[in-house]
Structures are given as C-alpha cells and as structure tokens.
C-alpha cells in the first residue's frame, strides 16, 4: 500500500467498532444541519464536464451550510469512466472521508447502514479500480491491542460491508487471536482475507494531500478532477534520481526487497519494528552491493568518495535506529498517541531512497540495475509509475499545523547553501533539546548527499539536473529535521 507512501500502519484508526455500520457517537449527525445527505444534484446530459459540476455543486452545498474549510480528493474506485470524490473536514480521530459517486446522472453520497463516512484521522484507503475500500480501527488497553479492518464495496451507490477481520494480541503472553466476521479462525484464513482483497496494494488519500477548498474557490477542484494521472509528478522539481527513463522505474517497481520483505500490518508494533529492521538490512545490503558495482564504473577519485560516503551512511543508519527508539519509543508510540511504528516506516523509506539513488547511477552508466537478492520467478504485476518520496514519507506527523509552520521557512525558495544552513541550525536546536551529538549525525547524511552530487555531476551531461537533485534531497532532509523539532516541542 505504497502509492501514497502512507501504509496501513499510517492510517491509525482508533475506534470501538464491533461490526459493520457502527458509527462513533461524536460524529452522529455531523452533516444533519447541512441537510445534504439526501440531496442530489441533477442535470441533463452526462459527460466528464457535467460530472465535475455535479461534485462542485455538492461542495457549494457544504459551503452554504457553513462548512468553509475542507479538502477534496478524486479517485478511481470502480474502474468506470467517472471518478469518485472524497471530502475531508480535518484529520482528528473524528474525521473520516465522505465518499461521493455519480449514479443515474446524480451526485450522491455513498453511505453504509448507520455510517456516512469511512475511516478516521483524515484518511480513506481503497483499492484503485478494484471497488474495495476499508476502515482500519486500532485500539489499545493496558492488557491488549486490537485491530479491526472493515472491507466495503460500492454497490448501486451504497457501501456494503463484505467482511470484518480482527486480531487481538495480549501483551502478557504476546499471543494473538484472529477473527473473521466474529468467528475465531486460524492465522492462515485471517491473512487470506487481506490477500484476497489486495490489502497491501491499496492506496490512501488523506486530508493533508487533498485540495483545500476555502469559501468559493473552486479552480483547484476543477484542476484536480481533470488531472487524470495518478503517477507522481516527474518534473525536475519533484525528482530524486539521475535517470528519467521509464524502464528504470519499471525495474525499480520489480525490486525483490519490496516483494520478499512484506510488513504485516496486523502484527503488534514491536513485531512491525523488527520486520522493518530486517527490510532495512536488505536495503543496506543492496547499497553495499551497488557500491561495489559502481566501483568498476567510476574513476578512482569518485569511487573513493562513494565508498567513504557509504561508510558514513552505514554509521548514520545505525545511529538513526538508536535515536528513533529514543525519540519515538521502541514501538514507535509517540506522545501517548496511537501512531504505530511510523518511525520504522520512515527508516525503511530512507534506506530505500538511498539504495534507489545508487541504482539510478548504475542505470545511467550501464542501462540496467543489479539487485543483490534474486527476483522471484513469478513477479507480481507492477506499473511504471515513478517512485518519488514526499515530505510526508519522512515525517512522523505531517499535520496541517506542521505544514503551516513550514511556510515561514520558504524551503522551496532556498538554494543549496541556504538549505544546508537551515539544516545545521535545526540540527543544533535538536541537539540542545535531545542532548545528543545530533549535528555530527546530521553531517554524515549531508556528506552522503554531497558525494552523490559530485558523482552524478561527473557521469551526467546535465549539471542543472544534478543540482536540482541535490537541492531536492536537502529539502527532504530539512523537512524531516523540522518535523523532529516540531515533535520534540510537543506542538
């Protein structure tokens, strides 16, 4: 479930639901005053232009009802010619996604019995073009952790709950019980439900990712609907790899590590963390392997610099593991919240980015990539969409409050020197609060970025692209450090 980088461990729904159709009491009637649940908008004719007008009219109804600040995402849930619309009003526990579709030339809200929204914490998870969407509900007591997943399909404009799975793990015994539709089952049947629905391949749209609608401003909504591409922006401003060839991204999509090391989202937090460390170890093995491959392709000076950079990376990684544990706890539980093993997610993403960066250099020089592990004989089907990390993928909490704090830093307007100055200042502040030699730790990662820039400059004819790559990596790191500072300050 990586199209939006945020995995099932990042959905983090915390409810007390026990069956399909139950709704948290604090959200009952949230839209009753708006009186739009039963309202539909009809127009003659039926094409994509009229579809967006139907959806925009729904949004205007929200505004008329006094809801003037929300976000909108468009998805292809059921692989027809019409997109669905998901509306979010925030990202607290009480904020789910409100799903709309077009049925009989009408814009209607998709609801389940007793529930008019899906998910919490401003997230909506679905299988693209597969007509499946889910709500994951995680709750913890002093003695156990429980995780439920509700699987829905959309049928004739209504949400129909097909299956409910639940795992309950006792902390004292560390043993788990598994249930499917309230019947206790073996783990094989429990896991089979997730596999049948394609849980790990699902995508997530969320409140921070959507188009913010303020008052009557609808231009960005029209643009979002008309943007049919679900692939990351491949412009220079959003790229991190020296190779821009689609074949390179196709090879990355078929990497054996993502296929051989699948994180079980149903596991207890400590098991997720341990599994993540095994996956990180595989990515680090790939980094060493690609480094040795590049040794025969680079000149002596570049190779010396790369090998030193890889050594610094490995030191940085080990320190990162220890510091993550101290910052976020062994289980990734943050400030008493229910965020489960997100620090592990961040760590895996950083290792993957480092490995892919070196693989892109190998592809630039040889036209192919070499994996340290064997690719399975039977590969899962993948698309050729670019892998491009987002700031959210390197943050423990990427809330709208945090996003607002970034505005004053004007990160997108800074050059390399200014970004490094910001990184140094932020690292010093973290060091003062965290009481660790965080600046030296940060310098190791910066040295790694510098080495990548030097090597890519020597193997590429496009020096401007190499500078953009360096600046993008620095921006990502600056945002990560600012997020750590944000979390330490407890904002």
């Amino acid at each position: 479930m990586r199209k939006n980088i945020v995995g099932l461990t990042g959905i983090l729904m915390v409810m007390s639901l026990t069956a399909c159709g139950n709704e948290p009491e604090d959200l009952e009637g949230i839209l009753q005053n708006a009186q739009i649940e039963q309202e539909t908008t009809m127009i003659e004719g039926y094409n994509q232009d009229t579809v967006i007008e139907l959806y925009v009219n729904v949004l205007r109804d929200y505004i008329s009802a006094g809801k003037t600040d929300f976000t909108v995402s468009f998805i292809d849930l059921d692989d027809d010619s019409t997109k669905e619309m998901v509306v979010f009003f925030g990202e607290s526990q009480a904020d789910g996604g409100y799903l709309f579709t077009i049925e009989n030339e009408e814009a209607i809200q998709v609801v389940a019995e007793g529930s008019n929204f899906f998910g919490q914490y401003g997230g909506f998870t679905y299988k693209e073009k597969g007509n499946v969407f889910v709500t994951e509900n995680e709750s913890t007591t002093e003695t156990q952790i429980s995780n439920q997943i509700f699987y829905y399909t959309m049928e004739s404009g209504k949400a129909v709950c097909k299956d409910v799975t639940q795992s309950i793990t006792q902390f004292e015994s560390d043993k788990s019980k598994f249930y499917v539709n309230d019947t206790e089952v073996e783990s094989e049947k429990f896991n089979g439900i997730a596999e049948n629905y394609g849980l790990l391949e699902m995508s997530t749209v969320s409140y921070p990712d959507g188009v913010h609608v303020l008052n009557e401003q609808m231009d960005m909504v029209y643009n979002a609907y008309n943007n049919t591409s679900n692939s990351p922006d491949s412009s220079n401003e959003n790229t991190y790899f020296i190779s821009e060839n689609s074949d390179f991204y196709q090879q990355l999509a078929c990497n054996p590590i993502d296929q051989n090391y699948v994180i079980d989202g149903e596991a207890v937090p400590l098991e997720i963390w341990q599994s993540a460390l095994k996956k990180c170890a595989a990515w680090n093995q790939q980094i060493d392997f690609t480094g040795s491959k590049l040794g025969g392709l680079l000149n002596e000076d570049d190779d010396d610099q790369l090998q030193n950079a890889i050594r610094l990376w490995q030191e940085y990684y080990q320190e990162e593991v220890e510091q993550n544990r101290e910052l976020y706890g062994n289980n990734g539980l943050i400030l008493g919240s229910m965020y489960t093993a997100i620090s592990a997610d961040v760590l895996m993403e950083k290792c993957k980015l480092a490995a892919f960066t070196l693989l892109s250099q190998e592809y630039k020089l040889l036209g192919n990539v070499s994996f340290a592990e064997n690719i399975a004989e039977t590969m899962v089907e993948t698309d050729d969409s670019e892998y491009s990390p987002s700031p959210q993928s390197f943050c423990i909490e990427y809330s709208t409050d945090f996003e607002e704090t970034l505005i004053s830093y004007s990160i997108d307007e800074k050059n390399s020197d200014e970004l490094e100055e910001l990184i140094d200042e932020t690292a010093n502040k973290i060091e003062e609060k965290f009481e660790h030699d965080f600046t030296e730790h940060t310098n190791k990662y910066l040295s790694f970025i510098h080495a990548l820039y030097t090597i890519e400059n020597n193997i590429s004819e496009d020096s401007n692209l190499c500078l953009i790559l360096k600046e993008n990596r620095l921006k990502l790191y600056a945002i990560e450090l600012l997020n750590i500072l944000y979390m330490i300050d407890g904002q």
Side-chain angles (χ1 to χ4, degrees):
M1 191 183 306
R2 281 284 172 185
K3 289 192 175 182
N4 228 20
I5 304 298
V6 183
L8 250 290
T9 56
I11 301 175
L12 309 169
M13 315 302 180
V14 187
M15 298 198 299
S16 58
L17 297 176
T18 57
C20 292
N22 292 338
E23 182 177 2
E25 293 182 0
D26 57 346
L27 276 183
E28 287 183 357
I30 190 172
L31 295 180
Q32 288 179 359
N33 292 334
Q35 295 182 346
I36 67 170
E37 295 94 324
Q38 303 302 322
E39 292 183 11
T40 57
T41 308
M42 299 183 60
I43 66 173
E44 296 180 359
Y46 192 57
N47 55 46
Q48 296 305 306
D49 290 337
T50 59
V51 168
I52 182 58
E53 290 297 336
L54 289 168
Y55 285 145
V56 165
N57 286 340
V58 170
L59 303 181
R60 289 192 173 117
D61 286 340
Y62 277 122
I63 293 171
S64 298
K67 299 181 180 297
T68 57
D69 187 0
F70 49 89
T71 71
V72 177
S73 293
F74 294 101
I75 64 174
D76 187 356
L77 178 61
D78 54 355
D79 197 20
D80 61 8
S81 60
T82 304
K83 297 179 185 179
E84 281 66 45
M85 178 175 72
V86 186
V87 182
F88 302 99
F89 291 94
E91 52 186 335
S92 70
Q93 179 181 352
D95 291 311
Y98 295 83
L99 178 64
F100 292 84
T101 190
I102 303 298
E103 193 77 21
N104 298 323
E105 300 183 357
E106 301 176 353
I108 63 172
Q109 185 178 348
V110 180
V111 299
E113 183 178 353
S115 178
N116 62 355
F117 70 96
F118 305 95
Q120 289 186 312
Y121 293 103
F124 179 88
T125 298
Y126 70 104
K127 186 173 184 180
E128 187 174 352
K129 300 182 180 181
N131 193 21
V132 178
F133 52 102
V134 304
T135 291
E136 183 184 17
N137 308 312
E138 185 179 272
S139 61
T140 300
T141 67
E142 292 182 356
T143 60
Q144 68 180 34
I145 182 170
S146 171
N147 185 279
Q148 289 179 301
I149 298 180
F150 298 75
Y151 294 89
Y152 293 93
T153 63
M154 185 173 65
E155 300 177 8
S156 300
K158 295 182 178 180
V160 179
C161 187
K162 295 294 188 179
D163 288 295
V164 182
T165 63
Q166 182 179 22
S167 64
I168 300 176
T169 302
Q170 303 293 330
F171 293 135
E172 184 174 342
S173 64
D174 202 29
K175 293 183 178 179
S176 298
K177 291 186 177 181
F178 303 97
Y179 300 86
V180 174
N181 300 323
D182 294 329
T183 300
E184 187 172 358
V185 298
E186 297 297 324
S187 60
E188 289 78 8
K189 183 173 182 179
F190 174 85
N191 293 329
I193 297 293
E195 293 176 4
N196 289 341
Y197 284 105
L199 183 64
L200 294 178
E201 288 75 45
M202 291 188 186
S203 304
T204 299
V205 290
S206 63
Y207 176 83
D209 300 329
V211 174
H212 277 78
V213 180
L214 298 173
N215 299 320
E216 294 286 344
Q217 300 173 11
M218 295 292 175
D219 289 347
M220 293 182 67
V221 175
Y222 286 102
N223 291 338
Y225 185 87
N226 292 324
N227 179 18
T228 57
S229 173
N230 289 318
S231 299
D233 189 346
S234 60
S235 66
N236 284 341
E237 288 72 18
N238 293 278
T239 191
Y240 294 82
F241 309 117
I242 193 170
S243 175
E244 299 176 276
N245 192 307
S246 61
D247 177 63
F248 167 67
Y249 293 100
Q250 179 66 46
Q251 292 191 46
L252 292 187
C254 294
N255 77 81
I257 295 177
D258 278 336
Q259 300 195 42
N260 295 341
Y261 298 83
V262 178
I263 306 300
D264 181 7
E266 302 299 322
V268 297
L270 183 58
E271 290 177 356
I272 292 175
W273 175 258
Q274 292 170 341
S275 298
L277 291 181
K278 291 180 181 178
K279 190 168 185 175
C280 287
W283 282 123
N284 282 317
Q285 181 185 13
Q286 180 65 58
I287 289 170
D288 289 337
F289 183 78
T290 307
S292 65
K293 286 283 185 179
L294 288 170
L297 304 174
L298 302 172
N299 63 45
E300 185 175 350
D301 289 341
D302 283 348
D303 183 44
D304 288 344
Q305 184 161 228
L306 177 62
Q307 300 311 318
N308 182 58
I310 292 177
R311 178 184 61 79
L312 289 171
W313 159 262
Q314 300 293 5
E315 291 179 8
Y316 169 84
Y317 167 77
Q318 293 300 329
E319 293 172 1
E320 193 79 350
V321 171
E322 297 302 322
Q323 291 182 358
N324 273 13
R325 286 171 174 161
E326 293 189 49
L327 277 169
Y328 315 122
N330 284 332
N331 297 342
L333 301 178
I334 305 157
L335 300 178
S337 74
M338 294 305 302
Y339 286 64
T340 305
I342 301 180
S343 57
D345 233 18
V346 173
L347 203 60
M348 287 188 292
E349 191 69 13
K350 294 183 76 171
C351 291
K352 185 175 182 177
L353 173 61
F356 278 11
T357 300
L358 298 188
L359 285 169
S360 74
Q361 295 176 6
E362 181 189 357
Y363 188 90
K364 181 70 175 179
L365 294 168
L366 286 181
N368 67 276
V369 298
S370 306
F371 293 118
E373 298 191 13
N374 293 328
I375 299 179
E377 292 183 5
T378 305
M379 299 297 298
V380 298
E381 290 188 10
T382 56
D383 58 33
D384 60 355
S385 60
E386 289 193 22
Y387 166 82
S388 184
S390 68
Q392 289 93 326
S393 63
F394 286 83
C395 295
I396 294 295
E397 178 174 323
Y398 199 88
S399 64
T400 52
D401 289 340
F402 171 61
E403 191 171 10
E404 288 176 1
T405 67
L406 294 178
I407 296 175
S408 62
Y409 293 100
S410 303
I411 289 178
D412 287 334
E413 300 173 11
K414 294 186 184 298
N415 59 33
S416 293
D417 292 338
E418 292 169 334
L419 286 166
E420 290 197 39
E421 183 179 351
L422 173 60
I423 288 170
D424 185 60
E425 291 175 356
T426 309
N428 281 321
K429 291 178 181 178
I430 294 173
E431 185 171 312
E432 292 174 2
K433 297 174 180 290
F434 191 36
E435 298 180 352
H436 279 263
D437 194 357
F438 201 83
T439 303
E440 182 179 349
H441 174 67
T442 299
N443 288 337
K444 291 177 182 178
Y445 193 66
L446 289 178
S447 296
F448 184 64
I449 293 177
H450 291 160
L452 298 177
Y453 171 66
T454 300
I455 294 166
E456 288 168 345
N457 237 338
N458 290 339
I459 65 177
S460 174
E461 304 80 19
D462 191 343
S463 59
N464 183 58
L465 171 61
C466 295
L467 180 60
I468 290 173
L469 297 179
K470 177 184 177 183
E471 290 179 347
N472 285 347
R473 292 163 187 158
L474 290 171
K475 289 175 184 176
L476 206 57
Y477 195 41
I479 292 173
E480 178 190 352
L481 296 187
L482 288 170
N483 186 253
I484 291 175
L485 187 62
Y486 175 86
M487 294 300 298
I488 290 177
D489 287 340
Q491 297 181 6

